[in-house]
């Protein structure tokens, strides 16, 4: 069964960085796009950006441009999301979600989420 | 930027029909996708491309879209359908946009 396995919870200080991973087990890796969606406590879903492993460029939501970097490692079938200059408002659950290779359309497979807490 | 609207909550008795709307400018021209999210869990795709269902989605779930409104319909609601439901579209200027979510309560 294809799964997206995410790294564990993180607690970070304001101003620091976090890097969250998402490993695809099973299925094709390069045929899909891998996206990051976050959900603040009690709030809705917010798309952050995505990347197709065979392409060099990543797409980012304007709100996260310059502060988020999404990378992929084909050898380990892993997608990473790194966020810098963390602030308390970044406290959220971060989900990776699989899309088609054009990074448009729906998200058919989701990881279980990684809780990131930003607190001094 | 493209904005989606959803009612904050919908209440329905078991066995009845729940209709969750998603409003957006000419949303009928876009592909609308719906997700179910149980408390503390990841979202799960239940309807995609307006009307299609993943194989795991029960037939009780159906979608439609026209004009400025898309609708997720849950027929014969069960207690296990109690969850938050989000609509989502992709827009050329806004990329992926999610609605604010609707909490479905089974009375």
């Amino acid at each position: 069964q294809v799964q997206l396995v995410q790294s564990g919870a993180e607690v970070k200080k304001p101003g620091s960085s976090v890097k969250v991973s998402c490993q695809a087990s099973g299925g094709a890796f390069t045929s899909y796009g891998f996206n990051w969606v976050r959900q603040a406590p009690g709030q809705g879903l917010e798309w952050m950006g995505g990347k197709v492993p065979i392409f060099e460029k990543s797409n980012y939501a304007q709100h996260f441009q310059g502060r988020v970097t999404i990378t992929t490692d084909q050898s380990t079938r892993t997608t990473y999301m790194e966020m810098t200059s963390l602030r308390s408002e970044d406290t959220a659950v971060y989900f990776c979600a699989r899309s088609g290779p054009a990074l448009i359309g729906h998200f058919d497979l989701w990881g279980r989420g990684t809780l990131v807490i930003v607190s001094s | 930027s493209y904005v989606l609207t959803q009612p904050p909550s919908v209440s329905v008795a078991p066995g009845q029909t729940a209709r969750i709307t998603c409003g957006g400018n000419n949303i009928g021209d876009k592909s609308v996708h719906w997700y179910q999210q149980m408390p503390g869990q990841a979202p799960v795709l239940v309807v995609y491309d307006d009307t299609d269902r993943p194989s795991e989605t029960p037939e009780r779930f159906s979608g439609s879209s026209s004009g400025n409104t898309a609708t997720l319909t849950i027929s014969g609601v069960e207690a296990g359908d109690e969850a938050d439901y989000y609509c989502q579209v992709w827009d050329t200027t806004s990329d992926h946009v999610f609605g604010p979510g609707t909490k479905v309560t089974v009375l």
Side-chain angles (χ1 to χ4, degrees):
Chain A
Q1 177 148 353
V2 182
Q3 293 183 73
L4 298 178
V5 181
Q6 297 189 223
S7 51
E10 304 261 13
V11 179
K12 294 292 183 180
K13 299 282 190 196
S16 68
S17 300
V18 69
K19 192 169 186 177
V20 182
S21 68
C22 169
Q23 185 175 42
S25 67
F29 182 65
T30 56
S31 304
Y32 296 96
F34 292 90
N35 302 261
W36 290 90
V37 176
R38 80 173 182 181
Q39 186 171 39
Q43 302 300 307
L45 303 168
E46 181 179 25
W47 180 77
M48 301 173 67
K51 186 178 187 300
V52 180
I54 59 172
F55 298 137
E56 192 173 325
K57 191 174 175 295
S58 302
N59 287 10
Y60 299 101
Q62 192 165 11
H63 178 66
F64 295 101
Q65 287 269 8
R67 206 161 67 93
V68 167
T69 303
I70 297 172
T71 56
T72 54
D73 183 338
Q74 292 186 52
S75 66
T76 60
R77 303 164 59 88
T78 303
T79 301
Y80 298 93
M81 186 284 298
E82 183 172 23
M83 179 180 284
T84 60
S85 303
L86 289 168
R87 33 204 189 235
S88 58
E89 310 90 87
D90 296 318
T91 294
V93 176
Y94 291 78
F95 295 101
C96 64
R98 190 178 73 175
S99 68
L103 291 179
I104 64 174
H106 57 277
F107 305 111
D108 69 340
L109 182 66
W110 294 67
R112 296 180 70 172
T114 297
L115 174 62
V116 175
I117 296 173
V118 183
S119 173
S120 53
Chain B
S1 62
Y2 194 79
V3 177
L4 296 173
T5 59
Q6 295 182 240
S9 62
V10 167
S11 298
V12 58
Q16 299 303 301
T17 297
R19 293 181 179 84
I20 305 159
T21 58
C22 177
N25 187 38
N26 292 322
I27 197 172
D29 295 336
K30 301 182 182 299
S31 291
V32 182
H33 320 295
W34 292 91
Y35 303 88
Q36 176 193 66
Q37 187 179 32
M38 301 291 189
Q41 297 189 23
V44 174
L45 180 70
V46 290
V47 167
Y48 65 98
D49 293 346
D50 297 342
T51 60
D52 292 339
R53 279 189 307 271
S55 57
E56 305 82 9
T57 302
E59 290 185 13
R60 304 183 291 102
F61 289 79
S62 63
S64 63
S65 183
S66 179
N68 293 321
T69 304
T71 303
L72 175 69
T73 301
I74 312 172
S75 304
V77 166
E78 301 176 356
D81 297 331
E82 194 162 278
D84 293 326
Y85 291 83
Y86 294 90
C87 58
Q88 176 245 326
V89 300
W90 183 84
D91 176 76
T92 54
T93 57
S94 303
D95 284 309
H96 295 280
V97 179
F98 288 94
T102 297
K103 181 176 182 60
V104 169
T105 300
V106 181
L107 301 171

